[in-house]
Amino acid sequence: MRTNWLSRRGVRRIAMGGLAVGLAALAAITIGGTLSTRRATDQVRASNRVSSAWESVFVQVSTEDEALHAYLATGAEFDRLGLRAAIGAAQERLTWIARTGGSDAAFQVAQIQHYYQQYETTLRAVVTAGQQGRQADVEANIQPAALEFAQLRRMSVASVERERRELEAYLAVVDRRNRALQSLAAGVFALDLMTFVLSSAILIAYQRRVERQAETNHHQAMHDSLTGMANRALFRDRAEQALHLAARTRQPVGIVGLDLNGFKQVNDTLGHHIGDLLLKHVSERLTDCVRETDTVARLGGDEFAILLPNVTSVGNATEVARRILDAIREPIELDGKPVSVGASIGVSVFPEHGTELDALLQKADNAMYQAKRGKLGVCVVDPPSPALAS
C-alpha cells in the first residue's frame, strides 16, 4: 500500500511538474507570439509611413513638374506664380524621411537631395527668366528640368519599391518565427493538453492576424489605396512578365500612358473629395474599356498606365487608346455636381518602339506629354504624325 501510495504520489508530482512545465512553456510561447506580433505591427506601420512619405515625394515632385508644364503652356503670370509656389514642395517630406526613416532612408534622401536641389535651381531659373521676359533662358532650362525630374521620379519610385521589398523580407522572417513558435506549441501539447488547446487558440489567433496583416500589406504594396487598382510596382511586374512572354511569342504588347486634363481644376474648385471620386470613376471607366487580361494601373496623382498584352498591332493599341479617351470625356455627375475632364494619352508598342520596359514607358510618357502640349488627345511615338485629333 505504501509503495502504491508513493508511486501515485510520484505520478502526481510528475503530472504537476509536467503541468507546470507545460503552463510555463505555453506562457512563454504566448508572450513570444504577442511580442512578435507587436513588433511586426510596429515595423509594418513604420514601413508604411516611410513608403507613404516616399509616395508623397513622388506626388509633390510631379506637382512641381505639372506646374512647370502649365507655365510653359500658357506663359501666364498666374501659372508662373503657381510654379514659384510649387518649388520645394517635397522638401518637408524628405526631411521627415531622413529624420525618422533610419540610416538607410537617410542615405537615400541624401542621394535624392542632390538632384532635387538641382531641380529647384532650374525651376527658379525658369521663374526668374519668365519674370524678366527672357524667353530664350526659359526654353534653355526646359530640357535640364525634364532630365532632373525624370531622375527624381526614378529615385522616388525606387525608394518606394525598396521599402516594399524590405517589408516583404521582414514579414517572411516574422512568418518563419511564428511557424517555429507553432511547432513548439505542438510539442507542449502532449504534456498539457487542455492548457495547450487554450494557448494554441491564442497563438493561432495571433498567427492569423500576422498573416492577414502580411496579406493586407502585400495587397496594399501592390495596389493603389484610393482606387484599388494596380500600382506602379504591380504594373511593372506584370509588364516585365508580358514582355518576357512576348519575346518568345513575338506578340505585340501595348503600353498606354494617360494623364488627365482638368483634374487640378476639379480638385481646386470642387475639393479633394470630388477629386477622389473622379479618380475612382475614371478608374472604373478605364477598366470597362479594356479586357480582363489587360492591366490598368494608377501610377500616382492623375497619372495612369495600361498594359495591353497580345494586341494585334500599333493600330489596335491606338484604337483602345481612342476608346479610352472617348470614355473619359463623357461628362459625369459626382455628389450632384457635373464634372468633365479630358486626357492626354501616349502609346508605345513592343517591339516596334522598343524591347525594354523602361524604354517603352519612356516613349509612352514622351508621347503623352507631346499629346498634352499639342492638345492631340492620343499620340503614338515614332513618328508623331499618327497622332489622332482630340
Side-chain angles (χ1 to χ4, degrees), residues 32 34-44 170 174 177:
T34 301
L35 294 177
S36 176
T37 300
R38 183 176 301 171
R39 285 194 298 269
T41 301
D42 291 342
Q43 180 67 26
V44 166
Y170 175 78
V174 171
R177 185 185 303 132

Side-chain angles (χ1 to χ4, degrees), residues 235-245 307 356-358:
F235 180 83
R236 287 189 64 90
D237 182 67
R238 290 183 178 176
E240 291 284 5
Q241 293 180 26
L243 292 178
H244 183 73
L245 179 61
L307 173 66
E356 298 296 327
L357 177 58
D358 287 335

Side-chain angles (χ1 to χ4, degrees), residues 198-211:
L198 178 62
S199 297
S200 179
I202 298 173
L203 283 173
I204 291 173
Y206 279 125
Q207 177 68 22
R208 287 177 178 174
R209 192 173 78 179
V210 170
E211 291 176 351

